[in-house]
Amino acid sequence: MKGKGYRSNVAKAVWIVIVHLAAVAAVICAAFFVMIYQTGIRLDDRGKSYIQSEGFRKRLNSRGMDILESLSAKEDINYLTNAGSSAVIDLAEFKEKEINRDSLSELSFKNTSGVAYSVKDLLEWAQDWAGVGERYDDGGSFGDIGQFIQCKTSDGSSHYFNLNDFKKLVTDGLLKVNYDQDIMEEYDDSYETKFAEKTENQKIDAAIELGYWSDSDSRSLGSITDKENNTEYPEFYLQEIWSFTEEFKPQGAESLPDAVNSSTEWNGKLEDAYSELAKVLDCIRAVQDDINVSDCAISLTSVYHTSGDYEEGSTNLTYLFADKEKKTIYTNRKAYSSYSQLEQNLEKIFKEKAYAVVYPELSECVTNIPDADLQVWNHTIDQSFDTKDFVFAVSVDTKFSVADSMADEAENYETYSKLMFPMLAGAIFGSVLWLIGMVWLTVTAGRKPKDEEIHLNGFDRWYTEIAAGAVIGIWLAGTIILGTLIANSSLGYSYAVVTVIVTCLICGTYTMAWFLIGYLSLVRRIKAGTLWKNSLIRKVLKWIGKCSGKLADFVRAFSRNTAEKIKVLLVGGAFLFLQFLIIGCIFGGAEVFLLALMAVDVAAMIFVIRKADGLDLIMDGLKKISDGELQYKIKTDTLTGKQKVMAEYINNIGGGLDAAVENSLKKERMQTELITNVSHDLKTPLTSIINYVDLMKRENPTDPKIQEYLRILDEKSQRLKVLTEDVVEASKASTGNIKLEMNDIDFVEMVQQVIGEFEEKFQEKNLTMMVHFTDEPSIIYADGQRMWRVLENVFGNVVKYAMEGTRVYAEISNRNKKVTFSLKNISAQPLNISADELTERFIRGDVARNTEGSGLGLSIAKSLTELQGGEFKLYLDGDLFKVMITFVAKNYSK
């Protein structure tokens, strides 16, 4: 088509080449820009010398901090070393004052808590100390879980024994263990060998194996007495405590546990003591590390991983620190080591082209390094050194006559500072050009100049997942191979610049090629609408759906008349077996064999077809009868055997169902009428009895027997009245002859009110109510009066039948848009009937009928609940009785 030449294959090929070149160029330029940036070179460093750059200032500041920290550490070690031969570090003081490497001077070097170590021993111990980071390594010698016996006295104090030492004392008879009786009985129930038959060591190990000594919160295993049977420790436990090998002893004790046992402040805190001792060693070790680094040449790593040190002749940096109060000098230049020549040496430093001199007053500090911030050095000296009068000077030989890391940094700066802006511009330009090319290729993907259709190639017709996996897999494999080849070639050992260029060029081109293949295919699939249509996942899901449908149809078909299906399968299996048997036999003539096989096949086919036809007739008749045509009759002329008998039974179903339904309705009506009439007839004389009893009571008879007779008459008549009302209520509830007034009800509030009504009755039966209600709104749609009757019956059932002195659990939960109330109690009498029977009328859980009750309470509660749209369920598990009432929750917001 005219004007569509930009869609031609030639134009696409040109843009593909442009996109490749732009991507590779952008990656190379960006990689170089990042490398240069990591060296500390910034865009605003253009036109500046290395001494004037931000990178030089930051590196000099860092080197100065390293020097000050190492000098501070040397001061701390000198302080510890000069503390005296009797100086100790007390663990309690170390913990209380929160001592660290910068505050060692706050120590009093006195033993105040009874747990202290000699400074001399700690200095030697710290040299081989692996540090906190190594303590928890498996199998490490600097930290492990030790087992100790913690014995507690009656006054609450503790005494620690190492487990092995404890076993030896028990074996030697110096201590006797009196194990808890429950421990011995549990061991006897779990193992063949009795606890009492084991040796003392075996008893201890057995107790550990049972897990009674797992932590400090476990109960005591018994008591410990000495050989005269005087109680030494009423309780003892096994403590698993983090500990480590003690290379030196604490002052006045053989080990740290011994010292803790004798200390009032540390008593019962052995693990804390080990932890604090580790912190002391960590602190001293950290200080020693700084000194070793300073004395043995501090290693500074640049972006190219070159290193140097601060020894004279090996560095272009000179430092001088003078403590004017102590008149001491620290320097890496022998010529500057004399304190008497301090001022002359400072004058020499001032002549350097790059120097920084720090004094106590910031206003007096001097430097010729642009933007140098000497406040950090000043603050570090003030915090780390015990002096108020000092001078700290650092200078750099700007000729870089010594080949150290600073010289390398200067050379790299001069080389790469000029390339930073061009690399950034190249990365931006390449990225923009790449983006333009990708947009153009996206627009023209699948298009041709001659029409507006989407044209797919053979690769685009592959399944989507297979195509994506092929692209990613081939790219990944190729990248690994290319990376291995580059790493093993001479490029892998050449300069970083050459390696970056070659790696970006090869890997970038290869990656971009496979990216375009996958990306453009994805675009064409989206435009053509085949991305999901041609998806393997879609195909699999459709196949699974079809298989599921066929499987469901087969299951439904097989579930109808399963016995006949099994018979047909058995006949078919027998038929096939017979065929294989006949084929395996050797006949005298081939004609006889073929005729016999054919006859068997024909007979089998006729049998299977007739059976299948009969099943179809029966299934059709069953379907019509199930749809309501109770008078439908199945034709039995073509049926034989059990199929004919079955059809005749089915034909009689209609009349039987009509008769059964009519009989059931008649019986239900008679029961309802009987209950209503009897209840009505009972009410009139019962009312008279109640009234006359009331009149007789008003006469105030004095005879105790008459009073007792009246009380019994009143009690029984009232019970009979309740029973009569329950019978009427049950009849109405079961037939649905009740008018409901439905409203929104706060179920939690209603249950709480019912619980309040029954509180006195619960107290009389010594029942404890355990309540757990949800905090969420629990609103249901029900008749408040009828719902109150349901709850009253349920709680009344608990009062009547729950075992005295037990707990009753009431819970309301709000889950899955339903409000569920559950009530659980332990029955006083065995429940030897099913839950369904308990909801029948006139059925009581008290089979002996020793309690008041009509047997209608739960039946009425269930009927009323179901009339209101709720669900009423009973659960019995042994003597556990549980009621669950569930309603659909109403949407409610305050």
Side-chain angles (χ1 to χ4, degrees):
M1 294 177 63
K2 187 176 180 180
K4 303 293 185 178
Y6 67 90
R7 299 179 178 177
S8 65
N9 292 333
V10 175
K12 292 179 182 178
V14 171
W15 272 107
I16 288 175
V17 173
I18 293 174
V19 166
H20 271 77
L21 295 176
V24 173
V27 171
I28 293 176
C29 291
F32 269 102
F33 180 82
V34 172
M35 289 177 60
I36 295 171
Y37 188 87
Q38 288 178 341
T39 64
I41 302 174
R42 301 293 181 265
L43 288 172
D44 56 359
D45 286 337
R46 286 183 301 166
K48 297 180 181 179
S49 65
Y50 176 60
I51 303 303
Q52 298 172 325
S53 68
E54 178 72 10
F56 173 78
R57 184 187 67 80
K58 288 183 176 180
R59 289 190 179 90
L60 184 63
N61 182 71
S62 176
R63 289 180 170 95
M65 290 297 296
D66 290 340
I67 293 170
L68 289 174
E69 288 179 3
S70 63
L71 294 179
S72 174
K74 182 177 291 187
E75 286 275 311
D76 292 336
I77 291 297
N78 290 340
Y79 181 77
L80 292 176
T81 304
N82 298 328
S85 58
S86 61
V88 296
I89 294 180
D90 185 86
L91 298 188
E93 182 185 23
F94 191 90
K95 179 180 181 180
E96 180 183 358
K97 295 183 178 180
E98 298 181 353
I99 301 298
N100 54 47
R101 55 185 294 177
D102 298 324
S103 57
L104 291 173
S105 59
E106 298 180 15
L107 291 170
S108 65
F109 299 115
K110 295 180 180 179
N111 186 347
T112 58
S113 69
V115 182
Y117 283 84
S118 166
V119 172
K120 180 182 178 182
D121 292 344
L122 290 173
L123 288 171
E124 183 177 348
W125 192 351
Q127 292 179 1
D128 297 326
W129 176 248
V132 175
E134 302 287 339
R135 293 204 310 243
Y136 298 101
D137 290 349
D138 293 337
S141 60
F142 291 96
D144 204 350
I145 299 299
Q147 293 184 317
F148 296 87
I149 298 297
Q150 183 183 13
C151 303
K152 289 190 176 181
T153 61
S154 56
D155 61 0
S157 61
S158 296
H159 188 94
Y160 291 96
F161 292 98
N162 181 277
L163 179 59
N164 293 329
D165 295 341
F166 178 78
K167 288 182 177 180
K168 188 174 185 307
L169 291 172
V170 173
T171 303
D172 294 342
L174 298 178
L175 293 178
K176 180 181 178 182
V177 179
N178 303 310
Y179 292 99
D180 186 90
Q181 186 66 27
D182 292 340
I183 296 174
M184 294 188 289
E185 290 178 357
E186 178 158 343
Y187 187 89
D188 292 344
D189 293 339
S190 304
Y191 298 90
E192 296 180 358
T193 305
K194 297 297 183 180
F195 192 87
E197 297 175 4
K198 290 185 169 294
T199 64
E200 290 298 332
N201 283 346
Q202 289 175 337
K203 289 179 182 178
I204 296 173
D205 293 335
I208 294 175
E209 182 180 356
L210 285 175
Y212 286 99
W213 293 358
S214 58
D215 54 65
S216 59
D217 295 328
S218 62
R219 60 186 177 84
S220 172
L221 297 181
S223 62
I224 298 175
T225 59
D226 57 15
K227 57 184 179 180
E228 284 81 17
N229 291 325
N230 297 319
T231 301
E232 294 288 331
Y233 304 105
E235 298 178 5
F236 72 99
Y237 309 84
L238 177 83
Q239 289 286 308
E240 293 186 336
I241 296 175
W242 174 84
S243 60
F244 47 87
T245 303
E246 298 181 55
E247 296 186 12
F248 294 92
K249 300 177 182 179
Q251 190 180 46
E254 291 298 318
S255 64
L256 184 58
D258 292 338
V260 168
N261 291 336
S262 303
S263 171
T264 303
E265 186 168 350
W266 287 99
N267 189 265
K269 302 176 181 178
L270 179 59
E271 188 165 14
D272 293 344
Y274 272 113
S275 177
E276 205 61 34
L277 176 57
K279 291 179 182 179
V280 173
L281 293 170
D282 285 341
C283 177
I284 298 176
R285 177 65 181 183
V287 173
Q288 291 176 339
D289 284 344
D290 281 338
I291 293 185
N292 292 335
V293 170
S294 175
D295 290 346
C296 302
I298 297 176
S299 176
L300 297 175
T301 305
S302 68
V303 70
Y304 297 105
H305 304 289
T306 58
S307 61
D309 55 60
Y310 296 147
E311 291 182 351
E312 186 174 5
S314 299
T315 178
N316 292 295
L317 182 145
T318 299
Y319 71 84
L320 183 151
F321 180 83
D323 185 343
K324 293 186 176 182
E325 293 181 356
K326 300 179 181 178
K327 295 184 179 181
T328 57
I329 293 285
Y330 294 105
T331 181
N332 63 343
R333 293 279 297 273
K334 292 182 180 179
Y336 293 172
S337 59
S338 175
Y339 182 83
S340 59
Q341 298 179 353
L342 175 61
E343 297 301 327
Q344 296 89 324
N345 295 332
L346 288 176
E347 290 296 329
K348 294 178 182 178
I349 290 176
F350 289 147
K351 295 179 181 180
E352 296 285 349
K353 293 185 178 180
Y355 66 86
V357 182
V358 179
Y359 294 100
E361 295 295 331
L362 282 174
S363 58
E364 298 177 359
C365 299
V366 291
T367 181
N368 61 358
I369 301 173
D371 301 324
D373 185 8
L374 304 183
Q375 183 176 0
V376 177
W377 288 357
N378 181 278
H379 179 73
T380 300
I381 296 172
D382 183 61
Q383 296 295 320
S384 304
F385 292 86
D386 188 20
T387 180
K388 299 300 180 183
D389 192 5
F390 62 86
V391 59
F392 177 58
V394 175
S395 66
V396 178
D397 180 5
T398 56
K399 297 179 180 180
F400 299 104
S401 54
V402 178
D404 63 352
S405 59
M406 301 183 72
D408 293 338
E409 293 165 4
E411 183 180 356
N412 292 332
Y413 178 87
E414 296 297 331
T415 302
Y416 296 114
S417 60
K418 301 174 183 178
L419 297 176
M420 194 167 192
F421 183 78
M423 291 298 103
L424 178 61
I428 295 174
F429 178 76
S431 300
V432 173
L433 186 59
W434 177 84
L435 183 60
I436 294 172
M438 289 301 300
V439 172
W440 190 92
L441 289 174
T442 302
V443 173
T444 60
R447 303 286 187 180
K448 290 188 176 181
K450 59 183 179 181
D451 55 43
E452 295 298 325
E453 296 182 3
I454 304 298
H455 297 271
L456 302 177
N457 57 34
F459 179 73
D460 297 337
R461 292 182 175 85
W462 288 20
Y463 286 119
T464 302
E465 293 80 8
I466 294 178
V471 170
I472 296 174
I474 295 174
W475 168 79
L476 184 61
T479 302
I480 294 174
I481 294 173
L482 289 174
T484 304
L485 292 175
I486 292 174
N488 295 333
S489 65
S490 58
L491 292 175
Y493 305 98
S494 61
Y495 295 105
V497 176
V498 178
T499 303
V500 170
I501 293 176
V502 174
T503 302
C504 291
L505 184 61
I506 297 176
C507 295
T509 303
Y510 178 79
T511 299
M512 196 64 204
W514 283 105
F515 171 76
L516 284 177
I517 291 174
Y519 174 76
L520 295 179
S521 177
L522 176 64
V523 172
R524 290 191 292 269
R525 291 167 188 263
I526 294 175
K527 289 182 177 181
T530 62
L531 180 66
W532 176 245
K533 184 179 179 181
N534 202 26
S535 170
L536 185 61
I537 296 177
R538 178 174 175 270
K539 300 289 184 183
V540 172
L541 291 177
K542 288 182 65 178
W543 179 80
I544 293 175
K546 290 181 180 179
C547 292
S548 300
K550 292 182 178 179
L551 181 60
D553 293 340
F554 173 77
V555 171
R556 284 194 295 269
F558 197 83
S559 64
R560 297 191 299 265
N561 195 23
T562 306
E564 289 298 324
K565 295 291 193 306
I566 294 175
K567 290 179 181 180
V568 171
L569 290 176
L570 291 175
V571 172
F575 164 69
L576 292 176
F577 175 76
L578 183 59
Q579 275 200 337
F580 282 111
L581 184 61
I582 295 174
I583 293 173
C585 294
I586 302 176
F587 291 92
E591 295 81 7
V592 177
F593 168 76
L594 292 175
L595 289 174
L597 187 60
M598 186 179 298
V600 173
D601 288 341
V602 171
M605 290 297 295
I606 293 174
F607 177 82
V608 171
I609 291 173
R610 290 190 64 181
K611 286 296 181 182
D613 184 65
L615 288 176
D616 288 339
L617 288 174
I618 295 173
M619 291 298 297
D620 185 66
L622 286 173
K623 183 177 184 303
K624 290 182 180 297
I625 293 174
S626 65
D627 291 338
E629 298 180 26
L630 299 180
Q631 301 303 322
Y632 178 81
K633 304 298 181 183
I634 301 173
K635 296 180 180 181
T636 60
D637 299 341
T638 59
L639 300 178
T640 60
K642 288 188 176 182
Q643 286 187 345
K644 186 173 183 177
V645 176
M646 185 186 302
E648 290 174 351
Y649 284 147
I650 293 173
N651 289 336
N652 295 328
I653 287 179
L657 287 175
D658 285 339
V661 171
E662 180 64 26
N663 186 41
S664 176
L665 292 175
K666 182 179 179 180
K667 185 177 181 181
E668 186 68 27
R669 285 196 300 270
M670 291 178 62
Q671 289 179 349
T672 303
E673 291 175 359
L674 176 62
I675 292 173
T676 303
N677 294 333
V678 170
S679 300
H680 183 269
D681 292 342
L682 287 175
K683 278 186 177 180
T684 301
L686 180 60
T687 302
S688 299
I689 292 173
I690 293 174
N691 291 335
Y692 278 113
V693 168
D694 185 60
L695 291 174
M696 293 176 67
K697 288 170 64 176
R698 292 180 182 180
E699 294 296 329
N700 295 322
T702 59
D703 190 341
K705 290 185 178 181
I706 296 177
Q707 291 179 351
E708 178 64 17
Y709 296 155
L710 289 175
R711 185 190 65 78
I712 294 174
L713 280 173
D714 185 40
E715 180 183 325
K716 299 303 179 180
S717 60
Q718 292 295 337
R719 181 184 176 189
L720 185 59
K721 179 182 179 182
V722 171
L723 177 60
T724 305
E725 292 174 349
D726 284 348
V727 170
V728 175
E729 185 78 10
S731 177
K732 291 181 179 180
S734 63
T735 59
N737 190 20
I738 294 178
K739 184 179 179 181
L740 300 176
E741 296 182 3
M742 307 294 283
N743 293 292
D744 290 347
I745 298 174
D746 189 334
F747 202 23
V748 173
E749 182 178 348
M750 176 174 283
V751 173
Q752 289 175 338
Q753 291 175 357
V754 174
I755 292 175
E757 292 288 335
F758 280 84
E759 184 175 359
E760 292 184 3
K761 296 181 180 180
F762 283 158
Q763 291 177 354
E764 291 175 3
K765 294 294 289 291
N766 195 20
L767 296 175
T768 303
M769 175 62 66
M770 308 299 292
V771 179
H772 178 67
F773 294 160
T774 178
D775 295 332
E776 301 178 3
S778 300
I779 307 301
I780 63 173
Y781 189 64
D783 185 324
Q785 180 180 358
R786 307 300 178 184
M787 202 63 234
W788 181 276
R789 179 64 186 276
V790 171
L791 295 175
E792 190 176 40
N793 286 4
V794 170
F795 278 92
N797 187 75
V798 172
V799 172
K800 293 175 184 176
Y801 301 113
M803 179 181 290
E804 293 191 11
T806 59
R807 297 186 181 92
V808 179
Y809 295 87
E811 180 181 359
I812 295 181
S813 61
N814 198 338
R815 301 188 187 93
N816 301 324
K817 300 181 180 179
K818 290 185 178 180
V819 177
T820 301
F821 166 71
S822 69
L823 188 66
K824 295 183 291 185
N825 67 275
I826 301 298
S827 176
Q829 300 295 329
L831 298 176
N832 298 321
I833 58 177
S834 65
D836 293 335
E837 289 181 293
L838 276 179
T839 55
E840 295 294 329
R841 285 177 286 181
F842 304 108
I843 299 296
R844 295 170 55 182
D846 177 16
V847 179
R849 310 187 74 87
N850 294 323
T851 58
E852 297 286 340
S854 63
L856 294 172
L858 295 180
S859 177
I860 294 172
K862 181 179 181 181
S863 299
L864 291 178
T865 301
E866 293 175 348
L867 283 175
Q868 297 174 82
E871 184 179 13
F872 188 98
K873 289 186 177 181
L874 294 184
Y875 299 93
L876 303 180
D877 186 1
D879 293 337
L880 175 65
F881 179 85
K882 180 179 180 182
V883 178
M884 290 189 66
I885 301 175
T886 303
F887 280 87
V888 176
K890 290 279 290 184
N891 295 330
Y892 181 79
S893 59
K894 293 185 178 180

